[in-house]
Each structure stands twice: as structure tokens, then as C-alpha cells.
Amino acid sequence: HNEFYGPDGVGATFIEKRFPFLISLKYRLRDLRLTKLVSSWIYGNTPPPADMNLMKQVSEGSEVLFDSDEAADIFKRFESNLDAIVDVWKSASVPIIASDVTSNLMFPPFVSPDVHLQAMRKVNDNFTAGKFTDALNLLHAMRQNDSTNALVEFWRGKTLRAIGDFNSAKAALVQARDLDLLKFRAPRETNEVIRRVCAERNVQLVSSESALSALSPHGITG
């Protein structure tokens, strides 16, 4: 789930994004004794501020569109890295079992484009009152104006689930996860990459997504 917001994702430097081979070079250099010595001399043992951590630093303000060039580059880099990991273990004759990933579909999007607040309040009021058809009609109208809004898709999924249309609900909730602009949950392309590499490299795959979906009410992981 951290491919987007590690120092090799949107947190990578401009140069590293343009020349991805520099990332692996950076890690090789980091392991050198000289690099460690210089680093300890510069930074010492000073702890980071209490309210700061790496994920916060590299994700601050970094919103990623699902179908953007930046997302495509990250998926491409992930596939290349995964393939390289398989090479390491296969060259050492170590058996490999890989897994895809799963996420909480009932968790609302972290970040989505602005929506009309009054309309969203009406959706919430109708949902709370059990007026699911009215809520869906409002959401349908909002969706016509913006079909890529993660929050609208999330509420569509939540409302469709409430009326028992579980297949449509799951599709909408998956779409909401994928459209979330703050990508702390892996989009569907992540699992497509994992499955593709496993198939091409003859690696056994255990699907945690399928397993947890099967154990979840109506196949919707919460």
C-alpha cells in the first residue's frame, strides 16, 4: 500500500523521477561504510520532531489522479521492482509465494474533489432517514457533473449496499478507493501488476484479497 508515498513514489526527487535507475544507485551508495560515516557526521543522532514522520513528509499535499502519467510511472516502477525481487530469490533457488493486497472498502476517501455541500447534506439526511432512492437520485445528478469524484462514488456504494444491491455497491466502493486522491490504499492496478508478474515468472500467488472478500459480509471488505 505504500508504493505511492514512499521516497521512491511521489516523494522521489525530480531527477529520480526522470532517471529511475538513480533510485537503485542511491540505495547501493547508502549501504557503503563511507556514506554511513558521512551521514552520521552530518545528522548525528538528532531525533525528528515529534509530530513528523516519513509518510507525512512525503505525502503532504501529494494528490495523485488514478489515470495520470504520474500514477502510470509509479505502477511501472513497482512492476520493475517486483520483477527484480523475484530475480533475487529465484537466483538463490528460494521458493516464492506472493500475495496480492486488500483494503477497507468501507473507509471513506481521504481526499476527493470539492462537492456541493448542500447536496451532500441532503444525501446524508436522506440516507439517515432511510430514503435511499432519493439519496441515489441526488448522487446520480452529482455524478453527471463529475464522474471521477471519490466521495460521490463512496456514498453511491454505501447507499447501494443499504438497499441490498451488493454487486453494484462493491463496484462503486472499489471505484471510490481507486479515485481517492490521497492514495494510502492500493488501487486495483497494484494487484493487476502483482498477478501479472506472478503469472509471467511462474510464482505461486495466494490472494489475500479473495480470502478476505470471501470472509466479509456480501464480499465487501470492511
Side-chain angles (χ1 to χ4, degrees):
H1 292 285
N2 63 356
E3 292 302 317
F4 281 86
Y5 296 113
D8 304 336
V10 295
T13 65
F14 174 77
I15 296 296
E16 289 171 338
K17 289 178 181 177
R18 294 292 299 273
F19 304 102
F21 75 90
L22 291 175
I23 295 174
S24 57
L25 177 62
K26 172 182 69 177
Y27 288 125
R28 286 199 295 271
L29 289 174
R30 192 177 66 178
D31 289 334
L32 295 177
R33 290 178 64 188
L34 179 61
T35 307
K36 293 177 180 178
L37 181 64
V38 172
S39 178
S40 64
W41 177 68
I42 294 174
Y43 299 109
N45 296 315
T46 305
D51 65 341
M52 183 61 70
N53 57 55
L54 179 62
M55 291 298 283
K56 184 176 180 181
Q57 289 180 57
V58 298
S59 67
E60 196 91 47
S62 298
E63 299 174 3
V64 184
L65 292 170
F66 179 63
D67 57 354
S68 64
D69 291 340
E70 187 167 41
D73 286 342
I74 290 171
F75 288 129
K76 183 178 179 181
R77 196 149 59 241
F78 172 52
E79 186 160 2
S80 175
N81 289 342
L82 187 57
D83 198 59
I85 290 169
V86 171
D87 273 339
V88 170
W89 296 117
K90 279 188 173 289
S91 66
S93 300
V94 176
I96 308 168
I97 299 175
S99 176
D100 55 16
V101 295
T102 189
S103 53
N104 184 351
L105 296 178
M106 293 305 297
F107 195 88
F110 289 97
V111 177
S112 60
D114 292 336
V115 293
H116 196 286
L117 289 178
Q118 188 174 0
M120 191 52 74
R121 283 197 194 97
K122 287 183 179 178
V123 169
N124 185 54
D125 290 344
N126 283 326
F127 183 90
T128 303
K131 300 177 180 179
F132 302 125
T133 301
D134 291 341
L136 283 172
N137 288 337
L138 284 167
L139 290 164
H140 179 69
M142 296 168 73
R143 198 171 185 240
Q144 286 184 315
N145 292 327
D146 183 5
S147 62
T148 62
N149 192 294
L151 188 61
V152 172
E153 288 301 303
F154 173 76
W155 273 96
R156 279 187 66 246
K158 190 174 177 179
T159 308
L160 287 164
R161 181 173 178 266
I163 64 174
D165 188 352
F166 301 116
N167 289 335
S168 299
K170 184 171 183 177
L173 292 167
V174 166
Q175 185 74 345
R177 177 202 62 195
D178 292 349
L179 292 173
D180 193 342
L181 293 177
L182 192 59
K183 291 190 164 27
F184 283 146
R185 295 178 296 172
R188 72 187 81 182
E189 179 68 17
T190 304
N191 280 345
E192 291 174 9
V193 168
I194 294 170
R195 292 164 190 153
R196 183 163 60 246
V197 170
C198 286
E200 291 173 355
R201 303 300 305 277
N202 195 28
V203 171
Q204 184 170 337
L205 175 73
V206 175
S207 177
S208 59
E209 182 179 52
S210 297
L212 289 177
S213 178
L215 293 169
S216 301
H218 314 295
I220 300 172
T221 51

